[in-house]
Amino acid sequence: MMNKLIKNIPTGRWFVAFILLHISAWTLAPALIRFTLPMDSMEGATWGRQLEWGYDKNPFMNGWLTALALKIDGHTGWAIYLFSQLSVAICFWAVWQLSKKILPPVYALLTVLLLEGMQYYNFHAIDFNDNTLELATWGLTALFFYQALQENKVRGWLLTGFCAGLGMMTKYYIVMLLLPMALLLCINPQGRAQFKKPGLYIGALIFLVVITPHVAWLFSHDFITLGYAVGRVSSPPSWYNHLFFPAQFAWQQFEVLLPALFLLLILWVGKKPWRLEPRIIIKRFDKEFLFLVGVTPFLLTVLLSAMTGIKLRAGWGQPLLSLWGIMLIAWLQPDLTPAKFYRFVAVIFGFLTLTVTAYCIALVRADEPSSANYPGKNIATTLTHYWHEKYHIPLNYVAGSRWLAGNIAFYSSDQPQVFIDWNHQISSWIDETKLRRNGAVFVWDLSEEQKVSQEEVARRFAKMSKPQIYRFLWLRNKNAAPVEIAVSFLPPDST
């Protein structure tokens, strides 16, 4: 039954159809429904205005690719949503290619389809940020590492080192994948054999070449990204943290996995639900690889939190479950028939359609204000218009919080640079001498806690006008309290 099923089902065509549907649906839905970019995407757009080797929160990959997306779409934003889904699609492709090396093609396709049931690969991936981009680099690194070990070719190690380097330049969290990879090299005979060959060292050299510019940047910027990471996970010391935070993170990952487990039950509806004859033989190496590369990063993350008491955020686990579909199918090995396969495909495609529809309805009918309905374009248009009326020159700088100032910079026709929180350390691209010469718009969102008070900014910029209050209605959320901002103008020196 298994061989006949494998022969008769065009798995490659089904994979392409699934990828095209996923990319199209999850790109068009936010592009058509959202009025404003998501918060992290807006931050990436702010970073991408100047191509640095690093930024205050992350290395350079997110900012650079966001800048490329904006070049492609003419600064409208739809390509940012496309890039998010391309990251997901690359992850799907990597899982698909890896699965086919371990399982028959039809079962390999199931491992990819299962991922659609997890929020990390659908509506959670709308925001193009380091976590979403990490799906691609994580998946590719695992795939090419497997190929390098199995094929013993320099090309595999070169690609492994390159993708691992890009992963590090996306987010340092990929260390949790690289450590189990190193462990596999040490404990597996095929892995230990690589130390006698040049490929491993060439891959390591490529990795170092990719990350070296960022490392040099860190030295000249007081290791700001590491400082941010430490601050992000810090919490008041307590023995309770060592139990609660790791348990919370583990439970959050299980919640993400749960819908996929329910979808998997569909494969047991019908005749012969429990055993496949003959069973698929999973090689010992593949078992070790799936455990170390697929499960150990999750275990290390939980263990680190348990030992140190650091606070973990659910979204950091976005790439962790990428290989879990392979493990589930390899372990359970559902008995497939054409009817079961096509029923499962229909349910997955229906689930995709349902989640996209639910996402759109939730934004359109949202009772609470959402970033999707933020009046960023109206704020930017209004303040840019006032600036032109007062000074008759382009607006070159806007200063304020990441979100508010970022919206003004993104949607303003002048596309000014952003002076984030009036802080040179996190806005190293700002030349304050030029800012004072060209003038700037200073903004505060009065609904947020102010990192820098208006009085403090006024002392630094004596020529700044007295703040005025502006109110803007939420888009769709008409009953919500208006967005209330304070605005000051720093006039250019020529005036």
Side-chain angles (χ1 to χ4, degrees):
M1 180 184 298
M2 182 174 65
N3 292 333
K4 182 178 179 181
L5 181 66
I6 294 171
K7 182 178 179 181
N8 292 343
I9 293 180
T11 53
R13 294 180 183 178
W14 277 110
F15 176 78
V16 171
F18 167 68
I19 290 295
L20 291 177
L21 177 61
H22 177 97
I23 293 176
S24 301
W26 285 111
T27 299
L28 290 174
L32 296 176
I33 294 296
R34 295 185 65 98
F35 287 107
T36 310
L37 287 175
M39 291 185 178
D40 289 347
S41 296
M42 190 67 74
E43 184 174 57
T46 297
W47 288 338
R49 293 174 186 280
Q50 45 285 313
L51 300 182
E52 305 278 336
W53 286 111
Y55 303 95
D56 64 296
K57 290 185 178 181
N58 292 115
F60 59 82
M61 281 288 287
N62 184 15
W64 286 24
L65 288 177
T66 304
L68 176 60
L70 294 176
K71 287 288 185 182
I72 292 173
D73 67 18
H75 209 84
T76 58
W78 65 264
I80 296 179
Y81 299 119
L82 174 63
F83 274 34
S84 289
Q85 301 316 313
L86 289 178
S87 296
V88 176
I90 291 171
C91 177
F92 285 167
W93 179 84
V95 171
W96 163 242
Q97 296 301 319
L98 179 59
S99 297
K100 288 192 294 183
K101 299 178 184 299
I102 300 173
L103 299 167
V106 69
Y107 288 87
L109 180 59
L110 297 181
T111 68
V112 178
L113 296 178
L114 272 179
L115 296 181
E116 186 63 40
M118 305 182 200
Q119 69 181 50
Y120 286 157
Y121 306 89
N122 46 61
F123 62 83
H124 196 89
I126 285 173
D127 198 351
F128 187 58
N129 56 23
D130 52 337
N131 296 324
T132 300
L133 182 55
E134 202 175 17
L135 292 176
T137 57
W138 192 289
L140 290 175
T141 301
L143 168 64
F144 293 133
F145 179 59
Y146 183 95
Q147 289 181 347
L149 291 172
Q150 292 289 77
E151 299 173 2
N152 293 311
K153 294 181 180 179
V154 173
R155 175 180 175 272
W157 285 112
L158 190 153
L159 290 172
T160 301
F162 181 69
C163 291
L166 294 183
M168 186 67 77
M169 295 301 92
T170 297
K171 190 172 185 177
Y172 303 144
Y173 183 64
I174 201 172
V175 168
M176 291 300 179
L177 174 64
L178 300 183
L179 289 176
M181 288 168 53
L183 181 60
L184 182 61
L185 287 174
C186 295
I187 67 174
N188 184 273
Q190 287 178 250
R192 290 195 297 270
Q194 302 303 317
F195 289 102
K196 302 177 182 179
K197 301 174 183 179
L200 173 61
Y201 303 101
I202 294 175
L205 178 62
I206 294 299
F207 173 81
L208 292 175
V209 169
V210 173
I211 70 170
T212 294
H214 176 69
V215 173
W217 180 90
L218 283 175
F219 276 94
S220 63
H221 288 78
D222 299 323
F223 295 88
I224 187 172
T225 53
L226 296 177
Y228 169 79
V230 171
R232 187 77 164 161
V233 300
S234 298
S235 59
S238 170
W239 66 266
Y240 179 73
N241 297 345
H242 298 266
L243 300 176
F244 177 75
F245 289 148
Q248 181 189 48
F249 181 79
W251 174 252
Q252 288 167 336
Q253 306 317 304
F254 176 73
E255 287 181 313
V256 173
L257 179 66
L258 195 57
L261 295 178
F262 281 115
L263 291 171
L264 189 60
L265 293 176
I266 297 168
L267 296 173
W268 273 266
V269 176
K271 298 180 179 179
K272 297 182 180 180
W274 278 109
R275 288 193 65 84
L276 170 67
E277 299 294 346
R279 299 283 289 177
I280 302 170
I281 304 301
I282 309 297
K283 295 181 294 185
R284 178 180 177 180
F285 172 82
D286 292 340
K287 291 179 181 178
E288 290 183 2
F289 181 90
L290 288 176
F291 177 78
L292 287 173
V293 178
V295 179
T296 306
F298 164 76
L299 298 178
L300 284 176
T301 304
V302 173
L303 179 63
L304 179 65
S305 179
M307 293 177 61
T308 62
I310 62 174
K311 184 176 183 179
L312 301 173
R313 298 182 183 274
W316 295 347
Q318 193 161 351
L320 287 178
L321 307 184
S322 297
L323 303 189
W324 287 32
I326 306 178
M327 293 186 290
L328 285 170
I329 296 297
W331 173 41
L332 297 173
Q333 296 189 21
D335 181 14
L336 287 180
T337 64
K340 289 182 180 181
F341 173 80
Y342 288 116
R343 183 190 304 124
F344 184 76
V345 170
V347 170
I348 293 295
F349 279 49
F351 180 84
L352 192 160
T353 304
L354 180 63
T355 51
V356 171
T357 303
Y359 170 79
C360 295
I361 293 175
L363 290 186
V364 171
R365 297 184 176 180
D367 293 327
E368 298 296 326
S370 162
S371 65
N373 303 325
Y374 188 77
K377 189 175 298 185
N378 293 348
I379 296 172
T381 302
T382 300
L383 297 186
T384 302
H385 173 72
Y386 287 164
W387 175 268
H388 287 176
E389 277 195 337
K390 288 173 71 70
Y391 304 115
H392 310 290
I393 63 172
L395 174 61
N396 292 315
Y397 297 95
V398 58
S401 66
R402 296 173 191 270
W403 175 243
L404 176 55
N407 267 270
I408 296 169
F410 185 85
Y411 291 110
S412 170
S413 57
D414 292 339
Q415 297 180 20
Q417 289 187 321
V418 181
F419 193 10
I420 303 174
D421 293 333
W422 303 274
N423 188 327
H424 285 286
Q425 188 177 22
I426 62 179
S427 307
S428 58
W429 53 84
I430 294 295
D431 183 334
E432 191 168 313
T433 301
K434 291 183 178 179
L435 182 145
R436 291 176 183 274
R437 183 167 62 243
N438 291 277
V441 171
F442 291 5
V443 289
W444 295 262
D445 187 332
L446 299 182
S447 66
E448 298 177 352
E449 182 179 350
Q450 304 302 315
K451 293 185 178 179
V452 183
S453 68
Q454 297 175 34
E455 293 77 12
E456 183 179 346
V457 175
R459 285 194 294 269
R460 286 175 58 187
F461 299 91
K463 293 182 180 181
M464 187 181 74
S465 67
K466 183 179 179 180
Q468 294 183 337
I469 306 301
Y470 293 81
R471 294 176 179 82
F472 297 87
L473 294 177
W474 287 84
L475 306 173
R476 294 198 185 102
N477 309 117
K478 301 298 184 182
N479 296 325
V483 175
E484 196 171 51
I485 65 175
V487 180
S488 291
F489 293 96
L490 177 68
D493 282 348
S494 59
T495 62

